[in-house]
Amino acid sequence: MPCWTPRGSCRKRWTATCEYPLVRAALISLLVSALLAYGGFYLYQNTPLRQALTPPDTDPSERQEADFYLTNARLVRFNQQGELDHRMHAQEVNHYPLDDTTIIRQPRMVLYREQGERHISASNGKLLPGSKDLELWDEVLIVARARDGSEQGRLDTDFITLYSGQELASTSRPVIITTPQSVTRAVGLNAHLDQNRVQLLSNVRGTYEVQ
Amino acid sequence: LPEDRGQPIRIKADSADINEGMGRAVYSGNVTMDQGSIHISGDKITVFTTDGTVTRMVAEGSPAHYREKPAADKEIIKAYGHTIDYAIAREQVTLQHNAQLLQEGNSFSGDTIHYNTVTQTVSAQSSDRADTGGRVEMIIQPKSKQ
């Protein structure tokens, strides 16, 4: 293997090592193993592996972990008059203290209102800080039922936010509203759940069937 | 066309405010409504429903437009007015404020025009308001000229 000899002042030292290839090989392998050792130590320090192995020495709220979780959760809530306000069922509920949010898998809700029930479902949900407002996404469906149980209308979208204090559901995403006689598509919506009223924000296309 | 009444009603608009509880939907911004050969357009169209069935539509514009082909062998009827009130059940269109209707070459204008979509009869009224001073004007084309 040709011996690489740089020119310049360090000529003599490099020349000495080149005469003994074994020494040079040893030096190179020493250098490589040092690099490998340092690389390994660096990786070990910064991979989740270390965090998992070492005992938690910090407060849970400092870490991204849930402080409580529920599986197959059923929740019933009553209003101040003692009347049934809503029921919720969820496959899994995780509360994260770091940002006080609660992630919900497969939320199913029924709101009990004067005009009738509102059945709300989605693949995912997130209770925002303060546990008042709820974001729902993926296959979001809201079905309005009259007091006799007949379906008055349904709303399909892929993301919506429910503001419980204002009985308002709001999204900037495309929506489809289906009633027994009409289908309406739009982009963006504000639904006032307590008034059976919907504001469609843009790109409205409606079709009414005539009996 | 006679079969227009059985056709679906299709509406396009920039925005809408639908109140199922009150049976009213207000569509705003470049609104068009089509039902078979009937076409209405305006800045705003309010759709009234009873038990989900559309019973009446009111278009407003400057002016609002109404267009319909009354029969296969007839020309398209065109009408204009600041307000166009289409009462579906009564099959009557009422045009108000600077109303005008063009039918088979004839022209009718006045403050209010009533048009029956089945009998295709037209009646026009002037307003008794001094500011408009509008009188009814009809231009009937002689048969030979048609």
Side-chain angles (χ1 to χ4, degrees), chain A residues 197-198 200 202 204 206 208 211, chain B residues 9 11 13-14 16-18 27 53:
Chain A
R197 178 173 164 237
V198 166
L200 302 174
S202 72
V204 180
Y208 290 85
Q211 267 138 12
Chain B
I9 293 168
I11 292 186
D14 292 344
D17 193 328
I18 301 174
Y27 294 86
T53 301

Side-chain angles (χ1 to χ4, degrees), chain A residues 72-89:
Chain A
N72 199 19
R74 289 179 193 283
L75 177 140
V76 181
R77 187 170 196 157
F78 296 86
N79 61 24
Q80 281 161 354
Q81 290 73 39
E83 297 152 343
L84 185 53
D85 186 77
H86 67 262
R87 290 179 193 273
M88 175 189 270
H89 171 253

Side-chain angles (χ1 to χ4, degrees), chain A residues 179-199:
Chain A
T179 70
Q181 281 87 23
S182 67
V183 176
T184 306
R185 297 166 192 277
V187 176
L189 155 140
N190 290 321
H192 304 271
L193 299 175
D194 54 348
Q195 301 165 31
N196 236 353
R197 178 173 164 237
V198 166
Q199 290 164 308

Side-chain angles (χ1 to χ4, degrees), chain A residues 49-74:
Chain A
L49 183 64
R50 173 178 176 276
Q51 285 152 4
L53 291 181
T54 52
D57 51 5
T58 50
D59 175 8
S61 64
E62 292 304 313
R63 290 199 311 275
Q64 287 284 350
E65 287 179 11
D67 58 356
F68 74 79
Y69 71 91
L70 308 166
T71 54
N72 199 19
R74 289 179 193 283

